[in-house]
Amino acid sequence: MIKLEKIHRNFQVGDQIVHALDDINIIINDGEYVSVMGPSGSGKSTLLNLLGLLDQPSSGKYYLNGGDVTELDEDRQASTRNKNIGFVFQVFHLIPRLTAAENIELPLVLAGVDEEIRKQRVNHALESMNLMERAQHKPPQLSGGQRQRVAIARATIMEPSVLLADEPTGNLDQKAGLNVIETLEQLNQHGITLIVVTHDEALGARSTRSIRMLDGRIESDNTDNKAG
Amino acid sequence: MLTKDFIRLTGTSLLAHKLRSFLTMLGISIGITAVVLLTSIGEGLYKFVLSEFTQFGTTLVGINPGKVTTFGMSMGVFGSVRPLTISDAEALKQLSFAKSVVPLVQGNAEVEGNGRTRRTTVYGVGSAFPETFSMKVGAGRFLPDDDPTAPRAFVVLGYKVKQELFANTNPLGQRVRIGGDRYRVIGTMEAKGQVLGFDLDDTVYIPAARGLDLFNRDSLMEIDILYKEGTNVDRVVAGIKRILKSRHGRDDVTITTQEQMLKVLGSILNVLTFAVGAIGSISLLVGGIGIITIMTISVNERTTEIGLLRALGAKQTQVLSLFLGEAIVLSAIGGAVGLLLGVGLAQLLHAMLPALPVHTPWTFVMFAEGLAITIGLVAGVLPARRAARLDPVEALRAE
């Protein structure tokens, strides 16, 4: 479960203070499918970075699975990211000199997991992402959709509770994008909390809960998106 | 992270830029090569000089007339010094630790024999000369233990003089003229070769008393004492001083022990080795700057990768050690290659110029490799720390 309490995030730009997040209070339950929408500069990326522990709030509390993670030191936050949070980026962020399998393996490597176990889990992930025959290919040899599926496999290899996707279809054509979204939704159906940041109305409409942001505030939080 | 994975990740990023990694390693290699090569030559020289000096044994003490003051000048120049005489040498023989005592006077003179003339170095010495200086008599015998004040006119020829004057005929029993006096050849020396540029074969040996007459001197140039091994050198010096002081009335001689000489010589040569090593280190420094440059570029290029690693849960220390690891691998491999090159070149040089002594001690090799790794570590710290401290959000945004 994710719980944000009175979260503020201020940036100093020149001599002006910008309130990227202004008193955000949200509770996201396990297994929810949330889309975060809003115009550029509305604070949705900042919110995502904060949820992913890549960024710290200026004030306020962030509870992840019951624990206050704002209090953790750098190393603990890193290991929380490693175990509990998966990231999917618009530009994939695969390491070009590593094969698909090695890219997927990275979080396990960083966590110091044994090679045998790693192999099993990577194979399993490749299989479920339909990437088995692409395992030894390097990112430049893969299509956009395949790359994003490698990225999703990497994001989920540690079996995190939360999957954060930042414009996951932004660099893909419609068909590949749809495939990626369906993959993410499948993971959500298996219990992962899926939070998608997007500009795309159609994509946003697929979620069960839609949060709309404007100027660092939550403009609307539509819990039953599909019905509404 | 497991060590194996650490090595693999480091390796793949270095292999991704083969040329760049190779050139950076080359920088370190050249530095280490220079250090190893130069110190090998320095150390070889050290060994060479030392062996030249110790070939007479280390239990040799030289006594020269006059006191060398702190200004390094012999008071002998002012003529206020009692001469060192043959009877001084005789008196020193009573020292219990003295294995042999050799009075010595040296000069140049014409030696005439078998119808030929040669200008050569004439040594006026005592009968114990061969054992004191580890010289070997080739044919006949050395000067006999005559009355030191009135020795018979015998001469022993050095190898080269014998060859020049008598070629292949037997010189024993022949007469030669040295500075107008007639001497009978009673022996020849074995070939000895050069020591520090002095040709020890281009010499003749006559009794010391006759040498003094020949060169018209009243003082010996030196008295050399070979003392029994295991004797405390301070005891030796004190014993010599006591006898000469009682004879001369004051302490007016300079006593040089081989030990002292070796110490001084050793420290001079060490400084020399260190100096050439330091010159080599300059190129190593340049190699280190090469590593800093490449690692800084690498961190810049891989900013998004660093951001990604952080997003995937890499700790700052992990990022730090990955980049530090790359710098160390570059320098360690570069260093190892440099070692091989340096040792190889040193040996090649020795093969081509056998006169040039070369010696590469293992401690130097270890030290050089350690130095290379240290340079990698130091050079890698700055870029690696920059990588570790990147803000992940900013890093991911960079493209």
Side-chain angles (χ1 to χ4, degrees):
Chain A
M1 192 184 75
I2 290 168
K3 185 176 164 197
L4 297 183
E5 252 181 35
K6 292 180 188 156
I7 291 284
H8 289 260
R9 180 68 173 104
N10 306 328
F11 291 104
Q12 182 99 29
V13 178
D15 47 1
Q16 262 195 321
I17 291 178
V18 177
H19 300 275
L21 293 177
D22 191 0
D23 195 29
I24 301 288
N25 296 282
I26 322 176
I27 292 177
I28 299 171
N29 289 311
D30 286 345
E32 273 199 84
Y33 177 9
V34 184
S35 64
V36 180
M37 301 190 62
S40 300
S42 59
K44 54 191 196 307
S45 284
T46 307
L47 179 65
L48 198 77
N49 288 334
L50 221 130
L51 289 171
L53 288 173
L54 290 174
D55 198 4
Q56 286 12 278
S58 306
S59 68
K61 293 276 180 199
Y62 171 15
Y63 298 93
L64 180 64
N65 301 331
D68 181 358
V69 289
T70 42
E71 294 289 308
L72 297 179
D73 61 23
E74 262 290 329
D75 280 4
R76 293 256 171 87
Q77 290 199 347
S79 91
T80 306
R81 275 200 297 275
N82 183 255
K83 291 184 177 63
N84 298 315
I85 299 163
F87 287 92
V88 175
F89 305 94
Q90 179 176 358
V91 291
F92 323 133
H93 282 313
L94 300 177
I95 296 181
R97 60 177 183 278
L98 301 180
T99 64
E102 285 169 334
N103 267 291
I104 294 169
E105 200 183 21
L106 262 181
L108 293 165
V109 168
L110 291 171
V113 176
D114 222 53
E115 211 173 347
E116 281 295 304
I117 301 167
R118 267 178 5 214
K119 204 165 241 164
Q120 280 174 21
R121 283 169 75 169
V122 169
N123 277 338
H124 184 76
L126 283 164
E127 220 166 318
S128 61
M129 288 292 154
N130 231 338
L131 286 165
M132 220 29 186
E133 60 284 21
R134 299 275 160 188
Q136 296 311 313
H137 289 216
K138 293 193 174 162
Q141 300 165 302
L142 301 174
S143 72
Q146 286 167 339
R147 285 187 215 183
Q148 196 59 303
R149 293 213 304 278
V150 170
I152 294 169
R154 181 181 62 192
T156 52
I157 196 79
M158 296 297 288
E159 293 167 359
S161 53
V162 183
L163 190 56
L164 304 173
D166 191 356
E167 303 279 8
T169 60
N171 273 15
L172 300 173
D173 61 42
Q174 214 178 355
K175 190 167 162 247
L178 187 65
N179 181 279
V180 162
I181 276 299
E182 280 170 358
T183 309
L184 290 174
E185 284 170 355
Q186 235 166 42
L187 289 163
N188 174 245
Q189 275 155 27
H190 284 96
I192 204 166
T193 308
L194 177 61
I195 302 172
V196 181
V197 165
T198 184
H199 273 104
D200 185 345
E201 289 290 341
L203 182 52
R206 293 176 72 103
S207 66
T208 51
R209 176 178 173 186
S210 173
I211 295 174
R212 282 180 187 275
M213 295 193 64
L214 190 65
D215 293 338
R217 289 171 170 277
I218 293 175
E219 195 190 31
S220 70
D221 184 350
N222 205 337
T223 325
D224 196 4
N225 198 27
K226 285 205 168 132
Chain B
M1 208 182 329
L2 304 175
T3 320
K4 201 174 143 195
D5 295 317
F6 178 74
I7 294 166
R8 199 170 47 86
L9 279 179
T10 310
T12 54
S13 49
L14 290 177
L15 284 173
H17 297 282
K18 288 192 187 69
L19 182 66
R20 182 200 283 186
S21 301
F22 170 74
L23 290 175
T24 313
M25 281 180 195
L26 190 66
I28 289 291
S29 295
I30 291 171
I32 290 289
T33 304
V35 169
V36 169
L37 188 62
L38 287 172
T39 50
S40 290
I41 293 172
E43 191 66 10
L45 215 60
Y46 176 98
K47 293 250 162 189
F48 171 74
V49 172
L50 234 53
S51 73
E52 289 281 278
F53 268 85
T54 52
Q55 66 176 330
F56 300 129
T58 50
T59 56
L60 196 63
V61 180
I63 305 160
N64 298 86
K67 190 92 191 143
V68 175
T69 66
T70 29
F71 299 106
M73 201 192 285
S74 166
M75 290 302 281
V77 273
F78 302 112
S80 63
V81 170
R82 294 273 302 260
L84 210 49
T85 62
I86 288 176
S87 46
D88 284 336
E90 287 304 305
L92 287 167
K93 280 184 182 166
Q94 72 191 41
L95 288 167
S96 61
F97 50 75
K99 259 161 93 176
S100 61
V101 177
V102 179
L104 195 141
V105 60
Q106 177 224 324
N108 284 307
E110 243 164 39
V111 180
E112 208 183 312
N114 200 21
R116 300 182 192 192
T117 307
R118 181 173 180 83
R119 196 161 184 88
T120 183
T121 311
V122 176
Y123 281 96
V125 295
S127 59
F129 179 83
E131 84 166 283
T132 311
F133 289 95
S134 325
M135 307 274 277
K136 285 206 176 73
V137 177
R141 58 199 173 93
F142 200 73
L143 301 171
D145 193 9
D146 278 347
D147 174 4
T149 53
R152 286 169 286 172
F154 290 148
V155 64
V156 176
L157 304 181
Y159 183 76
K160 194 165 186 179
V161 176
K162 177 229 156 195
Q163 288 296 324
E164 292 294 328
L165 296 183
F166 295 96
N168 292 322
T169 59
N170 183 6
L172 296 181
Q174 301 281 340
R175 304 262 166 193
V176 294
R177 270 185 175 289
I178 302 169
D181 289 333
R182 282 153 60 87
Y183 289 81
R184 192 148 67 90
V185 179
I186 59 163
T188 60
M189 303 301 285
E190 265 185 10
K192 176 83 178 175
Q194 295 198 342
V195 172
L196 299 174
F198 291 106
D199 189 347
L200 292 179
D201 294 328
D202 196 1
T203 51
V204 300
Y205 303 93
I206 58 173
R210 288 187 169 272
L212 288 175
D213 282 348
L214 176 65
F215 300 121
N216 200 19
R217 292 177 59 112
D218 51 357
S219 174
L220 293 168
M221 292 173 124
E222 192 172 303
I223 296 174
D224 290 292
I225 297 178
L226 191 67
Y227 59 86
K228 289 182 183 135
E229 272 180 53
T231 318
N232 185 311
V233 71
D234 294 330
R235 220 189 107 210
V236 173
V237 173
I240 295 168
K241 269 194 181 154
R242 182 168 45 78
I243 288 181
L244 292 180
K245 209 168 168 184
S246 71
R247 290 178 60 83
H248 290 193
R250 58 197 156 112
D251 182 12
D252 62 352
V253 293
T254 303
I255 300 171
T256 315
T257 66
Q258 195 80 349
E259 259 189 43
Q260 267 175 357
M261 282 215 339
L262 288 178
K263 232 185 240 168
V264 174
L265 204 67
S267 61
I268 291 172
L269 290 169
N270 272 334
V271 169
L272 185 84
T273 305
F274 181 77
V276 291
I279 292 169
S281 304
I282 293 172
S283 46
L284 203 53
L285 189 73
V286 176
I289 293 171
I291 291 188
I292 299 183
T293 312
I294 283 305
M295 291 310 297
T296 306
I297 292 173
S298 184
V299 169
N300 279 340
E301 283 180 353
R302 283 151 66 191
T303 302
T304 52
E305 183 185 320
I306 293 161
L308 170 78
L309 286 174
R310 295 294 304 283
L312 296 181
K315 297 180 174 70
Q316 282 186 322
T317 47
Q318 282 178 317
V319 174
L320 182 88
S321 51
L322 273 173
F323 278 87
L324 215 49
E326 283 182 32
I328 291 172
V329 167
L330 281 175
S331 64
I333 296 180
V337 172
L339 280 181
L340 289 178
L341 271 177
V343 174
L345 274 178
Q347 290 308 314
L348 192 72
L349 211 61
H350 185 57
M352 279 164 30
L353 297 166
L356 186 77
V358 161
H359 181 77
T360 317
W362 277 108
T363 46
F364 278 32
V365 171
M366 289 305 168
F367 174 75
E369 182 64 9
L371 190 66
I373 292 171
T374 309
I375 282 178
L377 191 72
V378 172
V381 162
L382 234 66
R385 258 177 36 164
R386 225 165 61 83
R389 288 180 179 182
L390 281 175
D391 174 10
V393 175
E394 292 289 326
L396 280 167
R397 208 179 288 152
E399 196 62 47

